[in-house]
Amino acid sequence: AQSVTQLGSHVSVSEGALVLLRCNYSSSVPPYLFWYVQYPNQGLQLLLKYTSAATLVKGINGFEAEFKKSETSFHLTKPSAHMSDAAEYFCAVSNAGNMLTFGGGTRLMVKP
Amino acid sequence: EAQVTQNPRYLITVTGKKLTVTCSQNMNHEYMSWYRQDPGLGLRQIYYSMNVEVTDKGDVPEGYKVSRKEKRNFPLILESPSPNQTSLYFCASRYSHTLKGSSGANVLTFGAGSRLTVL
């Protein structure tokens, strides 16, 4: 079975500060890992994904995530937060099959 | 424009009154899936379909039905809705095939969501 844990259901940062959203996963096989973002009243859209190529993955809007197998982590970072980054972020894990398992989500708030 | 379309976007209904949430995609995707989103629980899969006439249960299938008679459509049916089915529902689709690796790496395209309230 696979699972995802996102530490912190709410994260608040100041505009211009570092964004760090934490994700830990468990999977019995090498995983595929995703970060999705959900803006208010919208569906989810892909930020970035890891599929066993480079461990540091760059996504849209300046976000990136690093796959660390030894820590079973896939934390999402952005050097400098912007007001438009306020949204809910979901980490998800998939394997070679058809199950995509989501974490509980982290709501990012950006203060002016 | 490539998209997944859900209807209705908002619905308030009463316990026991059958309802259907439609989902349609225009990307010729084989795989379609329904999720429900509840605070603190993230998205949980209800049902998924690998292709026409092929459906399977996800993590929380109780109280729901689906059908896949056409490739583009994947309706979610609540035969007798109950208040614990009040939630935000998302339909999503993706390709099942891939040039290398596995289909698990394929990215889902999501609809905008359907907010359902059962009184």
Side-chain angles (χ1 to χ4, degrees):
Chain A
Q2 56 193 29
S3 65
V4 178
T5 301
Q6 291 183 239
L7 286 174
S9 58
H10 292 79
V11 170
S12 181
V13 300
S14 298
E15 194 172 20
L18 171 72
V19 175
L20 170 61
L21 304 183
R22 300 179 186 274
C23 172
N24 288 88
Y25 70 91
S26 70
S27 176
S28 58
V29 297
Y32 302 112
L33 293 159
F34 305 80
W35 276 100
Y36 283 86
V37 60
Q38 183 181 29
Y39 297 105
N41 298 315
Q42 295 185 28
L44 281 71
Q45 54 186 277
L46 182 73
L47 265 182
L48 49 82
K49 71 175 183 179
Y50 165 78
T51 58
S52 78
T55 56
L56 182 62
V57 182
K58 294 188 184 300
I60 61 172
N61 300 336
F63 284 94
E64 63 182 36
E66 186 173 8
F67 172 66
K68 292 187 176 180
K69 185 178 179 181
S70 61
E71 299 177 8
T72 60
S73 69
F74 191 56
H75 301 331
L76 182 71
T77 60
K78 181 174 180 178
S80 177
H82 191 272
M83 296 297 290
S84 61
D85 295 326
E88 188 153 21
Y89 293 79
F90 293 93
C91 182
V93 62
S94 175
N95 54 33
N98 298 299
M99 288 296 291
L100 180 66
T101 302
F102 286 87
T106 297
R107 185 167 297 280
L108 176 66
M109 294 166 284
V110 183
K111 299 175 291 186
Chain B
E1 180 188 353
Q3 60 185 358
V4 176
T5 304
Q6 299 177 225
N7 281 297
R9 293 288 314 279
Y10 301 92
L11 179 63
I12 300 174
T13 189
V14 296
T15 299
K17 185 175 181 181
K18 180 179 178 180
L19 68 93
T20 299
V21 186
T22 64
C23 174
S24 180
Q25 50 94 3
N26 62 359
M27 295 163 283
N28 203 35
H29 287 165
E30 297 88 3
Y31 179 96
M32 298 185 74
S33 182
W34 276 103
Y35 294 87
R36 60 177 289 173
Q37 181 182 6
D38 301 289
L41 298 177
L43 278 77
R44 294 177 292 167
Q45 191 176 48
I46 303 170
Y47 270 94
Y48 66 94
S49 169
M50 293 296 295
N51 214 323
V52 176
E53 302 292 0
V54 181
T55 63
D56 209 346
K57 297 177 180 178
D59 295 320
V60 289
E62 296 77 20
Y64 304 95
K65 284 176 55 177
V66 293
S67 68
R68 187 89 182 273
K69 293 183 171 55
E70 304 166 286
K71 196 172 187 179
R72 64 183 294 126
N73 296 324
F74 190 45
L76 179 70
I77 303 157
L78 285 73
E79 293 271 3
S80 183
S82 62
N84 64 12
Q85 293 178 297
T86 293
S87 187
L88 179 57
Y89 292 86
F90 288 100
C91 181
S93 69
R94 63 166 169 78
Y95 289 113
S96 284
H97 61 276
T98 182
L99 290 176
K100 58 182 178 180
S102 84
S103 63
N106 290 350
V107 176
L108 283 168
T109 300
F110 282 83
S114 296
R115 185 168 293 280
L116 171 64
T117 301
V118 183
L119 302 175

